[in-house]
Amino acid sequence: MPKITFINADGTRTEVDAAEGSTVMENAIKNMVQGIEAECGGACACATCHVYVDEAWQGKTGTAEPMEEDMLDFAYDVKPTSRLSCQIKVTGELDGLVVHVPERQA
């Protein structure tokens, strides 16, 4: 099972085992990662699962589709590495993925 590390704004790290085919957001919710709210349940209809993909992993997680980019307009403190965690599918290639949780969600 791929592992994902979530790093909160205060430096707290949470490492989770993630099922392939699930999303980063689903794994955050399942493991009660602080700071991931996911109010829309993964429908790409809000920005409350906003994360910053660690720069070393950007190439493997891909880029935001137009719908995701539109939702990121509502996120807090958007950066070039911002993604909605509901839009990042877990694959074997993402084993070791590191994402940073913003200090707050929009």
Side-chain angles (χ1 to χ4, degrees), residues 9 14 40 43 45 54 58 63 65 70 72 77 86 91-92 94 101 103-105:
T14 305
C40 75
D54 193 88
Q58 273 190 288
T63 58
E65 296 290 325
D70 289 345
L72 281 168
D77 195 24
C86 69
T91 65
L94 294 184
V101 180
E103 66 178 304
R104 69 180 176 91
Q105 296 290 346

Side-chain angles (χ1 to χ4, degrees), residues 78-94:
V78 175
K79 298 179 180 178
T81 60
S82 289
R83 291 290 308 274
L84 297 181
S85 59
C86 69
Q87 299 302 298
I88 304 172
K89 287 277 190 202
V90 176
T91 65
E93 285 186 3
L94 294 184

Side-chain angles (χ1 to χ4, degrees), residues 5 9 30 50-52 58 63 66 69 73 95 105-106:
T5 301
K30 177 181 171 186
H50 174 219
V51 295
Y52 306 118
Q58 273 190 288
T63 58
E69 287 177 357
D73 288 341
D95 185 27
Q105 296 290 346

Side-chain angles (χ1 to χ4, degrees), residues 21-75:
S22 64
T23 66
V24 171
M25 180 274 302
E26 289 169 334
N27 289 285
I29 295 302
K30 177 181 171 186
N31 291 281
M32 297 183 286
V33 172
Q34 293 294 314
I36 302 292
E37 298 170 13
E39 290 177 0
C40 75
C44 197
C46 72
T48 60
C49 68
H50 174 219
V51 295
Y52 306 118
V53 175
D54 193 88
E55 289 182 13
W57 289 93
Q58 273 190 288
K60 291 189 177 181
T61 58
T63 58
E65 296 290 325
M67 187 172 161
E68 180 181 355
E69 287 177 357
D70 289 345
M71 287 296 105
L72 281 168
D73 288 341
F74 299 102

